[in-house]
Amino acid sequence: MVPSFLARDRIVAGPGFSRWLIPPAALCVHLCIGQAYATSVYKTALVEHFDTSLTAIGVIFSIAIVMLGLSAAVCGTWVDHNGPRAAMFTAACFWSAGFLVAALGIGTEQLWLVYLGYGVIGGIGLGIGYISPVSTLIKWFPDRPGLATGLAIMGFGGGALIASPLSSRLMQLYDQSGYDATDPSSVADGHAVTMLFVTLGIVYFAFMMFGAWTVRVPPEGWKPEGWDPAEVREKRLVTTASVSAGNAIRTPQFWLLWTVLFCNVTAGIGILEQAAPMIQDFFRDSSGASTVTATAAAGFVGLLSLANMGGRFVWSSTSDVVGRKPIYMLYLGGGIVLYLLLATVGDTAVALFVLLAAVIISWYGGGFSTVPAYLRDLFGTFEVGAIHGRLLTAWSAAGIAGPLIINGFLDAQGTPGELTADAYRPALLTMVGVLVIGLVANVLIRAVDPRFHEPAASDDLERSAT
Amino acid sequence: MSERSDASARMRLRIVGAWALVGIPLAYGLVETLRKAADLFTG
């Protein structure tokens, strides 16, 4: 099925191998594919280069996110069966090829090639890359799955933090028209973006290959020193049985969790989508001018990126202690309260607004990174990567629904950047409703009915206990 | 015994190297983002 050098049996860890090499291997992939969140850096340059609308350029990102969900869902079982090296290698090839094809499209002024390259080919790399280390991390860290997946998925947030300033500097280096990365009104030329894409394609390929060659799977029956699998059995909602991906999607638990993720992501996108104009609109003086400068608004976006990344690690690790269901009660229930505060008193002080938004976004990030561990708890480790892949279709759906909701309400009120806090209230209250649906779905989650369990006693935890 | 400690030292070196490879770019991104975020309070 895959060349022998990629096969799962070639990467079984030998004696003395440390599991602490697995998180950096996973980060090598997630830090690269996290670039997807840094597309705004060259968005204006592409609009000018192709002489087209912002919407036409925004479609590139939308295609990539839809392909992420679809490829994760379709390829999840393949990833689980062939192991993390094959998955990381494949993701690197697609992600890198996507950049190179898109570079060709920019260089030849063929926008459809950018759609095909970054959107379709790169999007497949995104989906396979996103799920590639998840089940391996869970198997290496059965005692702390939240911490392990939090570390990797934090990398997806961190990737944007690296790619954004790095892309600005590279474009300045390649630009031939006097582009100044420190001047927000300056725009890079097409040549600079082409060369940026070529550079990123090559660098990301090398980086992801390091991850692919470092990753290992634990030998059969391996467990962390001093860890007793019996501890897992004592926790509520944590199974030691195995549920296949095919059976998982027949359970109400899968669809309830799908709804939870969809609602959490939709609500988070509500803020992320409009962060910069939103903070300026919330604070206006009597003449209607915003008291928050464009530079400060950009700083707010940076702060949200930090909250998004930090939340992925902090909240997912916390879930190992407090449990997965309670932590989602916090993300969703707490989100309801904070969204209500944002809608009603968010415009009283900038510090309060920033605090509320940052905590909401940290829960948005936490929702992403905690979900693999929640799946492990409900369905076991057997095909958790494949189940995770299918669940990520909720992200794709939210990627469409979130902006539609927020833009739909704001378009009816005027133009973002010229609105007031009152104009955001209907959209924010709608997000409260979305979070209530997610909260109810989370409350309804119970242990999976044993009829969905695999008939053979093939549970990894039980094997490792004997 | 010394072979085992050599292997253990090599593994520790690999761990440090791997974490540095991902940690250094991440630290660069964090610093750049913190500088940008500071504009929220000064800009």
Side-chain angles (χ1 to χ4, degrees):
Chain A
M1 186 112 181
V2 293
S4 62
F5 66 95
L6 297 175
R8 175 188 278 277
D9 55 10
R10 290 282 292 268
I11 57 165
V12 177
F17 184 85
S18 169
R19 62 175 174 164
W20 289 102
L21 269 174
I22 304 303
L27 278 167
C28 280
V29 174
H30 272 245
L31 285 174
C32 294
I33 60 175
Q35 187 277 347
Y37 273 156
T39 51
S40 60
V41 176
Y42 47 73
K43 221 173 179 179
T44 315
L46 289 180
V47 168
E48 290 205 1
H49 178 68
F50 286 105
D51 191 21
T52 186
S53 67
L54 204 55
T55 309
I57 297 302
V59 167
I60 302 167
F61 177 73
S62 301
I63 295 173
I65 293 297
V66 169
M67 289 307 296
L68 182 157
L70 290 178
S71 60
V74 172
C75 303
T77 307
W78 181 87
V79 169
D80 261 355
H81 288 178
N82 290 288
R85 178 178 285 177
M88 289 179 178
F89 178 87
T90 308
C93 293
F94 272 99
W95 186 231
S96 180
F99 273 99
L100 298 181
V101 171
L104 184 68
I106 300 166
T108 57
E109 298 193 28
Q110 300 288 324
L111 185 55
W112 70 272
L113 269 178
V114 186
Y115 289 154
L116 174 69
Y118 191 96
V120 178
I121 301 172
I124 294 171
L126 266 178
I128 297 174
Y130 193 92
I131 59 170
S132 63
V134 168
S135 91
T136 305
L137 280 163
I138 287 175
K139 284 169 185 161
W140 274 112
F141 290 85
D143 48 341
R144 282 176 283 180
L147 171 115
T149 57
L151 265 173
I153 295 173
M154 172 192 78
F156 198 79
L161 264 56
I162 300 167
S164 187
L166 183 67
S167 300
S168 295
R169 293 197 179 189
L170 285 172
M171 284 194 293
Q172 186 167 317
L173 180 74
Y174 294 132
D175 187 84
Q176 296 161 336
S177 63
Y179 167 66
D180 178 6
T182 59
D183 177 4
S185 63
S186 179
V187 180
D189 61 17
H191 170 76
V193 188
T194 304
M195 291 309 295
L196 169 72
F197 271 51
V198 171
T199 308
L200 291 181
I202 295 167
V203 171
Y204 284 154
F205 185 77
F207 220 71
M208 290 168 83
M209 280 300 151
F210 180 83
W213 257 257
T214 303
V215 77
R216 296 286 184 280
V217 291
E220 190 76 14
W222 178 89
K223 66 183 174 76
E225 213 172 301
W227 179 68
D228 179 8
E231 290 169 17
V232 171
R233 294 195 193 95
E234 288 164 8
K235 293 182 182 172
R236 287 178 64 208
L237 268 186
V238 182
T239 186
T240 54
S242 298
V243 181
S244 68
N247 271 340
I249 57 168
R250 293 195 198 99
T251 64
Q253 285 81 359
F254 176 86
W255 293 106
L256 288 168
L257 199 49
W258 193 98
T259 307
V260 165
L261 185 66
F262 171 81
C263 293
N264 196 49
V265 177
T266 301
I269 286 175
I271 287 185
L272 277 179
E273 175 80 0
Q274 295 294 339
M278 189 174 174
I279 191 171
Q280 289 191 289
D281 287 337
F282 259 65
F283 299 96
R284 297 193 176 279
D285 59 23
S286 52
S287 69
S290 178
T291 55
V292 178
T293 65
T295 312
F300 173 61
V301 176
L303 192 80
L304 291 188
S305 302
L306 290 172
N308 185 7
M309 192 188 97
R312 286 166 193 252
F313 177 65
V314 171
W315 296 119
S316 185
S317 305
T318 308
S319 76
D320 284 338
V321 181
V322 302
R324 253 56 83 171
K325 190 170 176 176
I327 204 98
Y328 274 91
M329 299 301 276
L330 175 70
Y331 300 159
L332 299 156
I336 291 168
V337 175
L338 296 200
Y339 256 106
L340 277 172
L341 288 172
L342 202 61
T344 51
V345 296
D347 58 346
T348 52
V350 175
L352 178 67
F353 177 90
V354 170
L355 181 71
L356 292 172
V359 176
I360 288 172
I361 293 305
S362 79
W363 287 338
Y364 161 84
F368 276 117
S369 56
T370 315
V371 92
Y374 208 163
L375 289 171
R376 192 290 303 252
D377 289 357
L378 291 168
F379 303 108
T381 56
F382 176 50
E383 286 190 340
V384 69
I387 301 169
H388 185 218
R390 284 157 172 79
L391 194 82
L392 289 181
T393 50
W395 182 3
S396 296
I400 297 166
L404 269 180
I405 293 172
I406 195 91
N407 292 331
F409 276 106
L410 294 183
D411 284 347
Q413 305 280 341
T415 309
E418 297 166 6
L419 302 173
T420 62
D422 291 341
Y424 285 82
R425 205 153 286 143
L428 293 177
L429 293 177
T430 302
M431 291 308 178
V432 170
V434 169
L435 286 169
V436 168
I437 295 169
L439 185 74
V440 171
N442 191 48
V443 168
L444 292 174
I445 291 177
R446 300 277 185 274
V448 173
D449 191 307
R451 72 193 162 97
F452 292 109
H453 294 170
E454 289 298 291
S458 57
D459 169 61
D460 294 341
L461 294 166
E462 284 186 356
R463 265 205 307 266
S464 61
T466 52
Chain B
M1 188 68 186
S2 96
E3 246 179 59
R4 189 182 289 177
S5 64
D6 278 358
S8 168
R10 271 201 303 276
M11 180 52 69
R12 271 201 297 274
L13 203 66
R14 277 185 73 188
I15 293 170
V16 171
W19 277 101
L21 187 75
V22 293
I24 292 169
L26 196 53
Y28 160 76
L30 274 172
V31 169
E32 290 287 330
T33 311
L34 277 171
R35 280 170 52 183
K36 190 177 162 193
D39 289 338
L40 174 61
F41 308 102
T42 58

